[in-house]
Amino acid sequence: MSGKAEPRAAGERTTRARLDRGRGALGPALELVHTGRAPTRAVLTAELGVTRATAGAVAAELEALGLIRVDVRPAAAAGSQGRPSHRLDVAEDGPVALAAQVHADGFRAALVGLGGRIVATAPGCQTVEADPAKVLGSVVEAGVELLRDTGRRCVGAGLAVPSAVAEPDGLALNPLHLAWAVGAPVRRIFAECVRAAGITGPAFAGNDVNLAALAEHRHGAGRGARDLLCVATGHRGVGGALVLDGRLHTGSSGLALEVGHLTVNPEGRPCHCGGRGCLDVEADPLALLVEAGREPGPEVSLLQQANDLLLNQYGDPAVRRAAEALIDRLGLGLAGLVNILNPDRIILGGLHRTLLGADPSRLRAVVADRSLWGQSGGVPILPCTLDHNSLVGAAELAWQPVLDDPLGALR
């Protein structure tokens, strides 16, 4: 009897070991499909370093969880030989994350699926009250309406705010362009609103530019970069973020890369931080409007007014001079960051993306001239490519537990 029992026990152990290996690969496999780095089962097999059978079992498990779709009969490319590998893609009807963003000119809610795909958005509100609980309650209510309308399962919620978010308590330390109290516990308030709305899953909060950088690194202009620097100006102020080896570098307490307070014009405007001539007040939408001699209006956001000015009136000498002044200041700040951080790619968002498009050679020349790395060929400077990248990044926070452990997070 022992002669028969031992082989059966050994077979069971082998099967168990294969299952364990496959389950351990679920998270890495899902992240590969989520970021578009494994479009086929053959690529997934190679990236995971497992057998075809294990990769097939992993893909099947992720499909059973409703996270991906496996096309077992993909069409062969023209001129190709042999049977094409099974195609992998995120499930278009799969679960979603609730993403929320608050900025100086309003707030917006969205549902974001795997792959960074925005499934639905709620019309943005144009006013932000001084009480963060009211604002976050309203944006969560908008998200609940979207969930009700779409019938999607929600894995969690993420919030992007225009402030450094201190860890581990999730405090908004410098909501300078909102009327919120310094140190507002935005993560706790947001989590309470999410729970009160009946949404299951964890709730997170982070700085809007950090989250934009994370989204661009996974799904946009930063994909494939190892050390990615993102600098952006949205409705007010300037922010920065750094992604190292696929992870946000937030420092010891979440406050790294406050690039808005680099001095680029010592005789410039007073800054909210107490300094003078910081990027925050020298290279944002308000700075462009003032530099061009335009009076900001209340009809639309400052960002839209500044973008419209560059796109529609760049031939005006006053507008061109203002743009050149901002480009030079931005280039000086970027050059200093390049000298310190040595990134392999820079991406620009918001108004800075428009400035890059207006005169790319001028900005790249300033950075190359003022940075050590410029003397050895320069660092690529590219525009961000995702619409609503801070919203997509907020959703990435909520998706991360699922990427880490799909079975544990969903079951």
Side-chain angles (χ1 to χ4, degrees), residues 142-160:
V144 169
E145 285 294 323
L146 294 176
L147 289 169
R148 187 178 298 120
D149 292 343
T150 60
R152 295 295 188 98
R153 177 182 180 181
C154 185
V155 299
L159 169 68

Side-chain angles (χ1 to χ4, degrees), residues 60-284:
E61 182 70 22
L62 291 174
E63 187 172 36
L65 290 170
L67 296 171
I68 73 169
R69 290 289 176 264
V70 181
D71 184 356
V72 298
R73 296 179 180 274
S80 63
Q81 296 181 350
R83 187 173 65 182
S85 179
H86 297 177
R87 289 204 60 80
L88 308 177
D89 200 358
V90 298
E92 292 186 359
D93 59 349
V96 293
L98 168 60
Q101 182 181 11
V102 179
H103 51 73
D105 294 299
F107 62 78
R108 181 178 294 274
L111 304 182
V112 184
L114 283 168
R117 297 177 180 177
I118 296 180
V119 173
T121 59
C125 175
Q126 299 303 312
T127 58
V128 178
E129 297 189 50
D131 182 356
K134 290 183 178 180
V135 178
L136 299 182
S138 296
V139 76
V140 169
E141 285 178 11
V144 169
E145 285 294 323
L146 294 176
L147 289 169
R148 187 178 298 120
D149 292 343
T150 60
R152 295 295 188 98
R153 177 182 180 181
C154 185
V155 299
L159 169 68
V161 293
S163 168
V165 178
E167 301 295 346
D169 298 320
L171 308 179
L173 284 195
N174 59 344
L176 298 175
H177 307 297
L178 303 176
W180 294 358
V182 173
V186 291
R187 181 179 299 149
R188 177 180 60 78
I189 295 171
F190 183 60
E192 290 172 353
C193 292
V194 167
R195 284 195 299 271
I199 298 174
T200 59
F204 304 89
N207 170 262
D208 52 3
V209 179
N210 274 351
L211 300 182
L214 181 61
E216 292 284 347
H217 185 266
R218 291 183 174 179
H219 308 294
R223 185 182 290 175
R226 189 187 69 179
D227 300 329
L228 175 69
L229 172 64
C230 175
V231 175
T233 177
H235 298 265
R236 290 292 303 275
V238 175
L242 185 66
V243 179
L244 299 177
D245 291 326
R247 298 288 178 181
L248 275 172
H249 175 71
T250 56
S252 61
S253 58
L255 307 181
L257 271 292
E258 280 291 302
V259 304
H261 302 292
L262 289 173
T263 300
V264 293
N265 183 12
E267 305 302 321
R269 301 172 179 85
C271 182
H272 318 280
C273 71
R276 181 177 289 276
C278 298
L279 267 178
D280 214 48
V281 292
E282 295 289 336
D284 79 338

Side-chain angles (χ1 to χ4, degrees), residues 340-365:
I340 296 169
L341 301 173
N342 190 25
D344 59 4
R345 193 179 308 175
I346 297 172
I347 57 174
L348 301 179
L351 178 64
H352 293 165
R353 176 172 66 173
T354 313
L355 285 169
L356 174 64
D359 196 343
S361 59
R362 185 183 186 96
L363 179 61
R364 292 181 176 123

